[in-house]
Amino acid sequence: MLELYHAEPSANSMKPMICLKEKRLDFVSHYVDLLAFEQHEPAFVAINPNGQVPVLIHDGAIIAESTVINEYLDEVFPEVPLKPADPVARARMRVWSKFIDEYFCPALSMIGWHVRIRQTAKAVEPARFAKLLERIPLEEQRQKWATIGGDSFTEAELADSRRRLVVSAQRMEKSLSEGPWLAGETYSLADLDTYSMAVALPRLMPESVSQEKTPRLLDWIARMNARPAVKAALAMSRRDPRTGRRIDRPAAASA
Amino acid sequence: MLELYHAEPSANSMKPMICLKEKRLDFVSHYVDLLAFEQHEPAFVAINPNGQVPVLIHDGAIIAESTVINEYLDEVFPEVPLKPADPVARARMRVWSKFIDEYFCPALSMIGWHVRIRQTAKAVEPARFAKLLERIPLEEQRQKWATIGGDSFTEAELADSRRRLVVSAQRMEKSLSEGPWLAGETYSLADLDTYSMAVALPRLMPESVSQEKTPRLLDWIARMNARPAVKAALAMSRRDPRTGRRIDRPAAASA
């Protein structure tokens, strides 16, 4: 049996959601509501001591880290392969996934934090927030959440993250001038790993990601949007992407 | 033909050096002297636009990123396998390699930069240094080198990196209580990727990495030190590890 603990179909949670859908694998979905701080609840931390989504459980074996989960799924369920057959293209795929994890995602995460998560956290009553803070397992995460009351990130840090997003978009544009997909001729984990972050770019930075400046990137996003697996993953959303409100609960129940 | 561009057998350069030796593969070694800033020379940047070692060239195909190089070598030369056969253990291996890349290595790199590289760079004549700075391709790297004249990292940043090294050592100790190697029963890329960083820990932080506090980690380092492949990689050093002086050139030539 496959089970996936995930949040919204966005960023790291979205990576294995698309991968599972591409491979047409049935899985039990466990929604972890990040805006309700469910990722730090003891029941979830017992599954992943880092208190982070996504987590895959396959016949009892726990696999964390979205990039690793996708490599695992591709090895164990190779019927719909998501790695190029050529080892050089496969290395190119892994360089992309690594770039996403180490460069693109942290920058996007800082911006996302600044514009949304922080506002949600600020709305929590202080005594309750202090308790929520205490149970965050990773020191780095706790430090980040603890800045809620203040200015969070500096203007210089935010500017540097925005610069990194532009660098990421330009790198995608260049790569897509060399082939239809990020690893070359073959659609691969590199595309779905990257898409899960990049889909936010046109809205987030229209001055840098546009038909004029990054036509290939926009075409690739459109091709990704059209994939049935991507549509199926996006359909698993539990919150309205514009308002952030839960859409899977009657209004009375969410009060 | 296999060619490896690498620096000293240490950190990221050491990872593919051990891997190649474990697999008993012949390769042409191209030494890139980081303390002579050769990684930013146009000839090398033409090979890796990021100006970073190591780089593998296999029959003309260029593969960068040490973790990706090792996955590539293991796929293309599977005769001496360095991945566990069990996909769950393989996922565990990849979580380790990722942790090294994203958490342990950046912390170690900051400390290493602070105690050694910075001193070397400070000794360079300012006008020449300004020119060296100009040709650094990665913005992040250029920013780091540009701090040479000042205080480089803050005390808080250095303390946080030291904390991360302690967390890394404790995580290794715990993992090694669950099996002889980091991914479990099988020696794997996780061990050689991690060793390339961890070998520095007993000297760097004897108060946290010791027979008393981390006996399993020290035992694992000793087992790694004893491996012929590790010895062969270490024997490729071109600088005295204590003084940092080139040992492969007559004194007159190095002047």
Side-chain angles (χ1 to χ4, degrees):
Chain A
M1 187 172 74
L2 285 167
E3 296 172 77
L4 186 72
Y5 287 78
H6 62 90
E8 288 301 292
S10 156
N12 287 325
S13 277
M14 197 181 198
K15 289 157 64 177
M17 291 166 84
I18 299 179
C19 186
L20 285 160
K21 294 292 185 186
E22 290 285 5
K23 290 178 172 288
R24 297 177 209 106
L25 295 167
D26 284 331
F27 63 99
V28 178
S29 156
H30 298 285
Y31 183 70
V32 180
D33 192 341
L34 303 186
L35 296 185
F37 308 97
E38 290 178 359
Q39 72 276 31
H40 304 136
E41 280 182 8
F44 182 70
V45 173
I47 295 167
N48 181 5
N50 286 344
Q52 292 178 315
V53 286
V55 175
L56 181 78
I57 305 189
H58 181 211
D59 295 339
I62 297 172
I63 321 276
E65 299 288 351
S66 55
T67 307
V68 176
I69 290 172
N70 282 357
E71 286 262 11
Y72 176 86
L73 287 170
D74 202 54
E75 282 182 352
V76 179
F77 304 100
E79 295 76 14
V80 180
L82 291 171
K83 284 199 293 272
D86 168 33
V88 174
R90 208 175 272 204
R92 186 172 163 151
M93 175 195 90
R94 292 200 173 109
V95 167
W96 263 108
S97 296
K98 226 173 116 61
F99 175 78
I100 299 310
D101 288 352
E102 297 175 12
Y103 190 94
F104 187 0
C105 178
L108 187 69
S109 165
M110 186 188 287
I111 303 294
W113 171 271
H114 187 72
V115 301
R116 174 165 286 182
I117 317 279
R118 210 167 138 246
Q119 303 310 321
T120 310
K122 273 187 171 173
V124 178
E125 188 263 318
R128 182 169 169 247
F129 188 71
K131 286 206 172 169
L132 288 171
L133 209 58
E134 260 175 45
R135 66 181 195 183
I136 299 179
L138 285 187
E139 171 77 16
E140 290 73 23
Q141 289 291 326
R142 205 161 49 236
Q143 283 175 9
K144 190 169 79 170
W145 287 89
T147 64
I148 289 289
D151 285 334
S152 175
F153 300 104
T154 65
E155 267 314 309
E157 286 171 324
L158 290 165
D160 196 58
S161 280
R162 283 188 211 103
R163 180 189 65 77
R164 285 178 182 231
L165 293 186
V166 176
V167 169
S168 303
Q170 289 167 347
R171 185 164 161 164
M172 280 181 257
E173 183 68 15
K174 181 170 179 296
S175 188
L176 291 165
S177 75
E178 297 158 9
W181 303 106
L182 290 174
E185 292 305 313
T186 313
Y187 173 72
S188 76
L189 298 177
D191 296 293
L192 61 89
D193 283 357
T194 306
Y195 169 84
S196 301
M197 312 288 154
V199 65
L201 288 182
R203 181 181 46 79
L204 215 54
M205 37 203 346
E207 68 291 355
S208 306
V209 178
S210 64
Q211 200 54 50
E212 195 191 337
K213 295 206 173 155
T214 58
R216 290 183 187 91
L217 172 52
L218 290 194
D219 174 68
W220 170 84
I221 289 178
R223 281 183 283 131
M224 290 296 297
N225 284 338
R227 294 184 76 85
V230 171
K231 287 183 183 170
L234 285 169
M236 292 182 71
S237 187
R238 310 279 183 103
R239 286 185 179 272
D240 183 313
R242 282 157 308 149
T243 64
R245 288 222 190 97
R246 286 292 290 253
I247 51 179
D248 59 344
R249 293 174 178 174
S254 70
Chain B
M1 186 172 76
L2 285 166
E3 297 172 77
L4 186 72
Y5 287 78
H6 62 90
E8 289 300 292
S10 156
N12 287 326
S13 277
M14 196 181 199
K15 290 157 62 177
M17 291 167 85
I18 299 179
C19 186
L20 286 159
K21 294 292 185 185
E22 290 285 6
K23 289 178 172 289
R24 297 177 208 104
L25 294 166
D26 284 330
F27 64 100
V28 178
S29 155
H30 298 285
Y31 183 70
V32 180
D33 192 339
L34 303 185
L35 295 185
F37 308 97
E38 289 178 359
Q39 72 276 30
H40 303 137
E41 280 183 7
F44 182 70
V45 173
I47 295 167
N48 182 4
N50 286 344
Q52 291 178 316
V53 286
V55 175
L56 181 77
I57 305 189
H58 181 210
D59 295 339
I62 297 174
I63 321 276
E65 299 288 351
S66 54
T67 308
V68 176
I69 291 171
N70 282 356
E71 286 262 11
Y72 176 85
L73 288 170
D74 202 53
E75 282 183 352
V76 179
F77 304 100
E79 295 76 12
V80 179
L82 291 171
K83 284 200 292 272
D86 169 33
V88 174
R90 208 175 272 205
R92 185 171 164 153
M93 175 195 91
R94 291 200 174 108
V95 168
W96 264 108
S97 296
K98 227 173 115 64
F99 174 79
I100 298 309
D101 287 352
E102 295 175 13
Y103 190 94
F104 188 178
C105 178
L108 188 69
S109 164
M110 187 190 285
I111 303 293
W113 171 272
H114 187 72
V115 300
R116 173 166 287 182
I117 316 277
R118 211 167 138 247
Q119 303 310 319
T120 309
K122 272 186 171 173
V124 178
E125 188 263 318
R128 183 169 167 246
F129 188 72
K131 285 206 171 168
L132 288 172
L133 209 57
E134 259 177 44
R135 68 182 194 183
I136 298 179
L138 285 187
E139 172 77 16
E140 290 72 24
Q141 288 292 326
R142 205 161 51 236
Q143 283 175 8
K144 190 168 79 168
W145 287 89
T147 63
I148 289 290
D151 284 334
S152 174
F153 300 104
T154 64
E155 267 314 310
E157 286 171 323
L158 290 165
D160 196 58
S161 279
R162 282 188 210 102
R163 179 188 66 75
R164 284 178 183 232
L165 294 185
V166 175
V167 169
S168 303
Q170 288 167 348
R171 185 163 160 163
M172 281 181 256
E173 183 70 13
K174 181 171 179 298
S175 188
L176 292 165
S177 76
E178 297 158 11
W181 303 106
L182 289 173
E185 292 305 314
T186 313
Y187 173 73
S188 76
L189 297 178
D191 297 292
L192 60 89
D193 283 358
T194 306
Y195 169 84
S196 301
M197 311 289 155
V199 65
L201 289 182
R203 181 180 47 79
L204 215 54
M205 35 200 349
E207 67 291 354
S208 306
V209 178
S210 63
Q211 200 54 52
E212 195 191 338
K213 296 207 172 153
T214 58
R216 290 183 188 90
L217 171 53
L218 290 195
D219 174 67
W220 170 84
I221 290 178
R223 281 184 284 130
M224 290 297 297
N225 285 337
R227 294 185 76 85
V230 171
K231 286 183 184 172
L234 286 170
M236 291 182 71
S237 185
R238 309 281 182 101
R239 287 185 179 272
D240 183 314
R242 283 157 307 151
T243 65
R245 287 221 191 100
R246 286 292 289 253
I247 52 178
D248 59 342
R249 292 175 177 174
S254 70

